[in-house]
Amino acid sequence: MSIIPSFFGGRRIDPFSLEIWDPFQDFPFSTSLTGPRSEFSGETSAFANTRIDWKETPEAHVFKADLPGLKKEEVKVEVEEGKVLQISGERSKEKEEKNDQWHRVERSSGKFLRQFRLPENAKVDQVKAAMDNGVLIVTIPKEEMKKPEVKAIEISG
């Protein structure tokens, strides 16, 4: 018997589990986690939530994504109309042999898709991408923004 009250509809939650838990799964309406997600709707894994850092330097916008175990051929970097950067890919599930006995599966597989609306100063025609030790680095140079010319107005009176 647990001394912790059950707030989760009788479900026992493993605090060390890496599974995605949808707190709204028993509600009668659709949520972002339970609703359709285009071609990626069948995949619910931690890999679907690929973490990506975005920093801006004086020269460029730099995106870094941790994609361990993926080859550059398994990742797609695209810039759509309207300056939208799209990073997608897929990690295949490991083949199961009939005699294999799995004790724990924590490494995730499946598709991922992340999109970022780029600012006006991004030079989308000069995007560069590279993979280094499982880290995807996308560099988008910035246009030099002209500082508005300030004209002093003399105050009369």
Side-chain angles (χ1 to χ4, degrees), residues 96-101:
E96 285 188 39
E97 297 294 326
K98 190 174 184 177
N99 298 329
D100 290 347
Q101 179 181 357

Side-chain angles (χ1 to χ4, degrees), residues 13 39 44 57 92 106 127 138:
I13 305 297
E39 65 184 274
T44 53
T57 68
S92 303
E106 292 185 347
V127 176
V138 179

Side-chain angles (χ1 to χ4, degrees), residues 27-157:
F27 283 86
F29 54 85
S30 176
T31 67
S32 62
L33 292 175
T34 59
R37 284 194 220 159
S38 71
E39 65 184 274
F40 296 93
S41 61
E43 307 296 333
T44 53
S45 67
F47 192 58
N49 296 321
T50 298
R51 305 285 190 236
I52 298 178
D53 296 338
W54 175 3
K55 75 175 178 179
E56 183 175 353
T57 68
E59 300 82 30
H61 294 276
V62 181
F63 294 82
K64 288 187 180 182
D66 288 337
L67 303 172
L70 284 184
K71 299 175 188 140
K72 67 180 183 177
E73 296 81 20
E74 299 170 315
V75 178
K76 225 195 265 188
V77 177
E78 302 169 309
V79 178
E80 296 180 345
E81 289 181 40
K83 292 193 174 189
V84 175
L85 173 67
Q86 180 172 297
I87 300 171
S88 61
E90 181 175 8
R91 176 181 292 140
S92 303
K93 232 179 189 177
E94 198 167 315
K95 293 179 182 173
E96 285 188 39
E97 297 294 326
K98 190 174 184 177
N99 298 329
D100 290 347
Q101 179 181 357
W102 292 87
H103 294 280
R104 186 144 179 105
V105 177
E106 292 185 347
R107 295 182 319 130
S108 54
S109 62
K111 298 178 183 181
F112 72 93
L113 169 70
R114 297 292 307 274
Q115 294 180 322
F116 302 90
R117 180 161 308 282
L118 299 171
E120 289 298 316
N121 66 351
K123 291 182 180 179
V124 294
D125 58 332
Q126 296 180 19
V127 176
K128 292 188 174 130
M131 284 282 271
D132 184 30
N133 290 326
V135 178
L136 173 69
I137 302 168
V138 179
T139 306
I140 305 170
K142 291 173 24 179
E143 292 180 19
E144 197 172 307
M145 299 300 285
K146 289 184 179 180
K147 294 183 180 178
E149 191 175 308
V150 178
K151 181 179 175 185
I153 308 297
E154 189 176 320
I155 301 172
S156 61

